[in-house]
Amino acid sequence: MPARIIGTGSCLPIRKVDNKELEKWTDTTDEWIRSRTGIESRYIAVEETTTSMAVEAARRAVENAEVRAEEIDLIIVGTVSGDMCFPSTACQIQNAISAVNATAFDLNAACAGFLFGLAIAESYMACGRAETALVIGAETLSKMMDWNDRSTCVLFGDGAGAAVVRKEEVGILSMVQGTDGGGGDALWCHNRPVNNPLVKKEWKPEYARMNGQAVFRFAVKTVPGAVMQALDQAGISAGQIKYFLLHQANIRIIEAVAKKLGQPAEKFPTNLQECGNISAGSVPLLMDMLNRQGRLQKGDKIVLAGFGAGLTWGAAVLTW
Ligand code: UT7
């Protein structure tokens, strides 16, 4: 497949909120959150927005990849929490970083957004429509939380991650994606209701809602299968993979996937302890952290996997 990740960047809000502080906001305990999810803290936007974090992550990825903004011909942002209905977050990034030659758009595949974006970038490259893409996952989920609903608000955080993807022979080896719209009622957030001269409704803000156990079951069942399918397509065994970078939703999901794949926990780096679940931002953010720690070496085989609302899922095998 003709695409390779050549640079990464990320951005988190300044304000960190640990579980103890959350105890003051909602009816929960540090002990419950740690033991059920592994999460210890998350970053919450105060001054930051989805766009501002995405722009900063994009700038850092462009710098890391050592490309010029004018070389970028495609910008895709996976997000469910854009600041505006339109223009898209991607259009705002294009303007902010002066990527004047880029076509830019957002996509909504929830927590699989970065994986879906990567697949689109790769397809554009395969058919000759793009050479250098920015793929970004960015979220300000804190604005979509009902802070009285302890079953969701303790899980999520804000942040953004970005990758520069270039048309090259060695890189992405395989990609698998899937959707089960029938599971849409496991995790949802309503948009504005119909409201016009014919239909008058009182409009209250809507918040994210989740059937946590349904999402948990879906993740544990679907992710190992998607990863194995991607490994098969790449002709690579799980043992040859250096790191599995999974969506950071719950440490118990990651442990269950590791077990099903028969791989040791050390191969599954995490940042959910510090960052919580950042939906589309979590996989690229984790990838950037590893990259900047010097843990990704040229030639390493890596798996990326995202899953979430939709239901949606995606997995990729790549050579770093
Ligand atoms: O990006 C993808 C999106 N989401 C996910 O991947 C989430 C997947 N699901 C999960 O991670 C887990 O299902 C949760 C962490 C959301 C919940 O864990 P659980 O072990 O499935 O707990 P539960 O929903 O069965 O709730 C157990 C108890 C309930 O109390 P009772 O009925 O047993 O008395 C809840 O009311 O825990 C209670 N509870 C809490 N207690 C303290 C739920 N949330 C909290 C909380 N603090 N924050």
Side-chain angles (χ1 to χ4, degrees), residues 44-45 50 78-84 108 110-111 138-149 151-158 187-192 203-210 277-280 309:
I44 303 278
T50 299
T79 186
V80 297
S81 54
D83 302 318
M84 302 177 78
N108 177 346
C111 308
E139 305 286 8
T140 315
L141 300 169
S142 59
K143 67 186 174 191
M144 301 166 78
M145 292 300 124
D146 174 350
W147 291 94
N148 293 312
D149 177 4
S151 67
T152 51
C153 71
V154 303
L155 306 172
F156 296 95
D158 302 333
L187 181 50
W188 74 97
C189 183
H190 285 287
N191 208 329
R192 300 170 183 218
W203 184 58
K204 287 193 253 123
E206 293 281 353
Y207 298 103
R209 303 288 173 205
M210 182 173 69
N277 177 347
I278 311 179
S279 191

Side-chain angles (χ1 to χ4, degrees), residues 26-29 32-33 36-37 111 150-152 154-156 187 210-216 219 247 249-250 252-253 277 279 307-309:
T26 194
D27 176 21
T28 190
T29 61
W32 190 97
I33 303 170
R36 300 283 179 131
T37 70
C111 308
R150 64 183 184 175
S151 67
T152 51
V154 303
L155 306 172
F156 296 95
L187 181 50
M210 182 173 69
N211 176 344
Q213 291 188 3
V215 180
F216 194 101
H247 171 49
N250 187 320
R252 293 187 291 135
I253 293 177
N277 177 347
S279 191
F307 55 88

Side-chain angles (χ1 to χ4, degrees), residues 3-8 111-119 122 135-136 161-165 171-178 222-231 234 241-248 257 261 267-269 280-291 296 300-307 313-320:
R4 181 170 159 241
I5 293 176
I6 60 165
T8 61
C111 308
F114 181 77
L115 271 295
F116 277 47
L118 201 56
E122 190 276 328
V135 181
I136 298 163
V164 176
V165 182
I172 297 171
L173 299 172
S174 66
M175 300 200 86
V176 167
Q177 292 164 265
T222 310
V223 178
V227 170
M228 282 190 265
Q229 205 186 336
L231 286 169
I241 299 297
K242 183 170 181 186
Y243 291 124
F244 296 83
L245 308 188
L246 303 191
H247 171 49
Q248 300 289 293
V257 173
L261 292 170
K267 282 190 175 188
F268 293 74
S282 81
V283 170
L285 206 130
L286 180 62
M287 184 166 64
D288 182 52
M289 285 182 174
L290 287 183
N291 190 23
L296 300 176
D300 285 346
K301 302 283 185 279
I302 311 288
V303 163
L304 311 178
F307 55 88
W313 62 93
V317 180
L318 45 104
T319 301
W320 194 254

